[in-house]
Amino acid sequence: MTNMTNTKDRICEILRATERPGIEAVINYLLTSSYFKRGCYGHHKEYGGLAQHSLEVYEHMLLHTSGYAADSIAVVGLFHDLGKTARRDGHGHVRRSVDILDRLGFALTDEERTAIGRHHDKSLDLLTCPLR
C-alpha cells in the first residue's frame, strides 16, 4: 500500500504544480473515483495499476520529449486513460477521458485534446501528437 500512497502523492504533486485552473476538481475526481484503485488491461493489472501506468507514461514522455510545456506533458500523460474510471457508456475510454475533463470544467488545449483523443490510434503515440 505504501507504493500506492507514493504514486498517489506524486501524481497529485505533479498536477498541482501545473497550476492549471480547475486542477483541484480533477484531483478530487481522481481521489474519489477508481483511478488509484483499479488495474489496467493487459498490464499493471494489480491494485492501483491504472495510476502506476499513467505515471509511467508521464515519466516516459518527460524523458523523451523536448520543447513541450511541462503542464501539457502532465495532463496528457496522467489523463490519457482517465476514461477507464467511468462506467462504460457505449463510447471508448478515450472519448470518456476527454468527456470527464470537460464535465469537470478542466480546459484542455486543442493539442492536449488531440493527444488524449488519439492516443489509442496504433499509427500514433503520445510522443508524436502535437503538444506545443
Side-chain angles (χ1 to χ4, degrees):
M1 190 60 76
T2 301
N3 190 35
M4 185 71 264
T5 301
N6 292 341
T7 298
K8 185 185 298 186
D9 290 347
R10 176 121 166 77
I11 287 173
C12 290
E13 176 184 319
I14 292 164
L15 293 174
R16 285 191 175 104
T18 69
E19 298 183 351
R20 296 271 292 263
I23 199 65
E24 287 302 324
V26 179
I27 291 170
N28 186 54
Y29 175 84
L30 299 180
L31 294 171
T32 58
S33 72
S34 62
Y35 185 83
F36 291 108
K37 299 173 188 155
R38 69 168 293 142
C40 215
Y41 307 115
H43 54 282
H44 289 302
K45 293 179 183 178
E46 71 279 357
Y47 181 89
L50 176 60
Q52 185 60 44
H53 163 71
S54 297
L55 183 58
E56 289 173 5
V57 168
Y58 160 76
E59 290 170 343
H60 180 79
M61 289 179 71
L62 206 54
L63 289 172
H64 297 285
T65 58
S66 61
Y68 298 115
D71 64 320
S72 286
I73 292 171
V75 166
V76 172
L78 296 173
F79 297 157
H80 75 282
D81 276 344
L82 187 62
K84 291 181 179 179
T85 64
R87 192 171 343 137
R88 293 173 193 240
D89 58 0
H91 301 291
H93 80 276
V94 173
R95 179 170 167 188
R96 285 193 306 268
S97 296
V98 172
D99 289 348
I100 289 166
L101 294 167
D102 286 344
R103 275 196 319 270
L104 293 170
F106 185 80
L108 292 167
T109 67
D110 290 341
E111 293 83 6
E112 291 165 351
R113 187 174 297 277
T114 298
I116 292 171
R118 296 184 68 191
H119 87 270
H120 220 253
D121 184 335
K122 297 296 184 206
S123 66
L124 298 172
D125 72 34
L126 290 173
L127 300 178
T128 62
C129 291
L131 290 177
R132 292 195 193 274

